[in-house]
Structure formats: C-alpha cells, structure tokens
Amino acid sequence: MIKTEHLSKRYGALTAVDDVSFEVRPGEVLGFLGPNGAGKTTTMRMLTGYIAPSSGRASIYGHDVETDPIAARSCIGYLPEGAPAYGEMTARAFLDFIADLRGLRGAVRRARLDTVIQRLELGPVLQQSIDTLSKGFRCRVGLAQAIVHDPAVLILDEPTDGLDPNQKHEVRTLINEISRDKIIVISTHILEEVDAVCTRAMVIARGRIVVDDTPAGLAARSRYHNAVSLQLEHREQLAAARDALSELLDVATVEVDERAGKLTAFPANGAAILEPISDRLAQAGIYVTALRVEPGRLDEVFRTLTSEGAGKGAVVAPTSPSEGGIAGEGPEAPGSPSGSPLPSGERGRG
C-alpha cells in the first residue's frame, strides 16, 4: 500500500505540494490529473524518494521513504517524465545495467529481461543506442526498466505524452494487463487516459487535492451528465426542435450549436429525459441522425476544478535533492539523465 500523510513540499515562499494525504491499495490504478505545475511530478518524486518532503511522510508497503529508502525503492518501478536514460548506451546495455542495480541474478535475471524485451517488442532495437531511438521506442525502454524487477508499485509520470495513437494504445494495454495485483500511479493531463486505464482519479490543483473519485464519479460532476445531445437531419429545424424540447417539464435548458446542427438538452433535477425527448421529436416531425445520453464531459469538469488561479506560483520539484530551486535551475550529477530513476549513489554512472 502507498500511504501519504500531510505531505508538503515548499521552496521558500512557494508551495509545490500542500498537505496531501491519500492511500492507494493493490489493484488500483490511480490517475493524478492536473494542469502543468499542479504538483503531480513533485508528489511522485517524493513517493519515489527522489526528493525529500518539507513536512509530512510517505510510505510504500510500510517502508518510510525517508527512514527506510532502500526497502521502499525496492518495491517501486519508476518511469519519470520523458523516459530519461543514458543515451550513449544501447537499449540492451541499459536494461542489463538496470537489472544489475535491481539485484537480479541468474535464471531470474534472464527470465525477467526476456519477458520485458518480448512484451515491449524491443528485440529489433536492442543493439541501437538510446539516442537513436524514436520517442515511442525510448518510452518502451523506459517502461521496460520500470518493470524489469516485477515491482509491486509502478509510478508512471506522463507515460504516453507525445506518443502517437497506436503507441498510446500499446502502453495502455500493458498497464491494464499488469494492474490486477499491483499499485499503479499515473500522472497525466490527458483526460482520455483517465477513462482508458484508471480505476480512480485524483485532481490536483495548486498543490492540493481538490477531488478524489472514480472516473465515472468525476464525469458525473459535469453539467453535461445525463444531458441529451442530438444531431438534426435538417438544420432548418433547429429552432423548431429547440422550442419543442423547451416545452418539456423535465428539460431545464436547451443549447444550440447552429454550425454543427446540434442541440443539447439539460435535465431538471437529474431527470431521465431521453424517452420524453424522443417522443416529443417524433410528435413534432423532427428527424435526427444521432441521439445520445451524455455520460459527462471530463474536460469541462477539469476546467471547473482547476481554472481559478491554476498554475499561478506553481513549481515542480528540482532535479537534484540538494538544490532548493525550481526544476531545471539546479545542476545535475555528471552523466545523469534528468529525472533519473536510479538510486542516488548510482546517478553519476554510465
């Protein structure tokens, strides 16, 4: 189990993460959802022991990330944003390096390497240097190093950012396949990712948790939840359709999109309005090509929850635990990829 208690991170007068408390249990896929600068990456870096919290504590399966860091990290597979790696290494050499760091030996080592290479289809690029790989293959190598030791906890920071639709589908399929008995935490600002892989969604804004719900519960907060959208066959019937639907007692309001020839009817007090709308349209002789009940629109919920002052004064964690500045301002260890998942004693290697 992951557990955080009043976790905070401050840089002088700026607060990146503000009194965050939550638990995640096996089988859950938690999506950290928030705008850039909301505190998602900073929270993940504290969970992985990459930076220390200013106050509060975090533990991984009972191991405190500050007082028992090696045991905590042994439970974690971490893919930082951008899938950083040693670019001069071949994909094979990098995975061998990570397997050594993770203490894999003998038959277990060979089996785990073979499994991740096959599952992520890395065979054709194993002998290429990582610098020469496409973004999709670099992401696959990053995922491979995160799961090579079969961790109980997987922490992924923007795992599909910049990937094409096919690559995104492959990553999401992998996450769904391995999520049954693991804890998976995904940071994202891609709303479709929440529906695709997450069992739970936590919206973070200005360093604080503003909502912790299921994806369906999050969608239910939308003003579009249970609204009915329809596409007219004949646009000249827009005014007549709007008037006809406005007469229904259970319809609170009707919005018209004249360019698209669409209407959206919003229910009064959560009423079910699909059937009365269908009946009323038939009575009025108004023809539609599409008619559907809206589950809710996550983009609208996201904007509502994060818009007020979102991002003002927000920072992310520095790239080095010893630096007190904003990310990107402090120096890195020689030879270290930015955001490296390696233990602090290994960041200068490679």
Side-chain angles (χ1 to χ4, degrees):
M1 180 177 73
I2 294 176
K3 185 176 183 180
T4 73
E5 300 173 88
H6 307 291
L7 201 63
S8 297
K9 184 63 179 179
R10 292 177 292 275
Y11 304 108
L14 298 176
T15 301
V17 176
D18 189 6
D19 196 32
V20 166
S21 298
F22 62 88
E23 295 181 3
V24 195
R25 298 182 180 278
E28 286 189 296
V29 181
L30 172 64
F32 273 154
L33 187 63
N36 290 330
K40 306 184 301 296
T41 292
T42 303
T43 301
M44 286 186 153
R45 288 177 175 175
M46 288 190 284
L47 288 178
T48 57
Y50 188 65
I51 61 172
S54 300
S55 60
R57 63 185 300 268
S59 62
I60 311 294
Y61 279 96
H63 304 293
D64 189 286
V65 298
E66 287 194 276
T67 61
D68 195 7
I70 301 301
R73 291 182 192 182
S74 69
C75 301
I76 297 172
Y78 180 35
L79 176 63
E81 183 177 5
Y86 295 110
E88 70 278 12
M89 282 184 163
T90 65
R92 179 76 207 204
F94 181 65
L95 293 178
D96 284 337
F97 174 54
I98 297 297
D100 289 342
L101 290 178
R102 291 297 186 179
L104 300 179
R105 300 288 184 268
V108 172
R109 184 182 189 277
R110 290 191 296 273
R112 287 304 304 164
L113 285 168
D114 288 346
T115 295
V116 298
I117 289 168
Q118 180 179 3
R119 180 63 191 83
L120 290 157
E121 300 178 352
L122 292 173
V125 300
L126 280 179
Q127 302 309 318
Q128 285 185 230
S129 64
I130 292 172
D131 271 344
T132 68
L133 298 180
S134 68
K135 190 167 187 177
F137 270 114
R138 286 199 301 272
C139 180
R140 292 189 201 186
V141 172
L143 280 168
Q145 67 79 24
I147 65 174
V148 69
H149 56 303
D150 195 21
V153 176
L154 195 56
I155 296 180
L156 310 175
D157 195 357
E158 306 282 2
T160 64
D161 188 34
L163 301 186
D164 67 36
N166 290 333
Q167 293 165 342
K168 288 181 180 180
H169 176 74
E170 292 170 0
V171 172
R172 291 167 184 168
T173 298
L174 173 65
I175 291 170
N176 285 325
E177 287 177 355
I178 65 177
S179 64
R180 184 173 304 173
D181 58 350
K182 297 185 184 299
I183 294 172
I184 301 180
V185 179
I186 300 173
S187 165
T188 185
H189 58 266
I190 302 172
L191 299 176
E192 65 184 71
E193 204 129 272
V194 176
D195 271 336
V197 299
C198 297
T199 62
R200 180 177 164 196
M202 188 178 291
V203 180
I204 301 178
R206 301 168 296 282
R208 298 184 66 90
I209 297 172
V210 293
V211 167
D212 185 355
D213 207 339
T214 63
L218 199 61
R221 296 169 181 264
S222 169
R223 64 187 289 265
Y224 288 91
H225 181 61
N226 285 339
V228 174
S229 293
L230 53 138
Q231 176 77 55
L232 295 187
E233 184 175 341
H234 306 291
R235 294 190 183 188
E236 60 269 21
Q237 292 187 314
L238 272 173
R242 180 192 59 211
D243 294 342
L245 299 186
S246 297
E247 294 171 358
L248 295 173
L249 293 177
D250 287 333
V251 172
T253 186
V254 179
E255 292 184 357
V256 178
D257 183 344
E258 294 186 2
R259 288 188 60 187
K262 294 181 178 179
L263 291 89
T264 301
F266 294 86
N269 302 316
I273 59 174
L274 179 63
E275 187 173 345
I277 283 177
S278 181
D279 292 343
R280 184 69 185 90
L281 293 173
Q283 292 168 6
I286 296 170
Y287 298 95
V288 300
T289 58
L291 182 68
R292 72 184 188 100
V293 178
E294 296 262 8
R297 299 183 184 179
L298 287 178
D299 58 341
E300 181 246 343
V301 176
F302 181 85
R303 288 193 302 270
T304 300
L305 292 172
T306 64
S307 59
E308 184 181 353
K312 293 181 180 179
V315 297
V316 296
T319 54
S320 169
S322 63
E323 297 300 320
I326 298 173
E329 293 183 349
E332 298 171 11
S336 169
S338 176
S340 170
L342 308 181
S344 58
E346 301 289 347
R347 289 187 184 129
R349 294 181 58 179

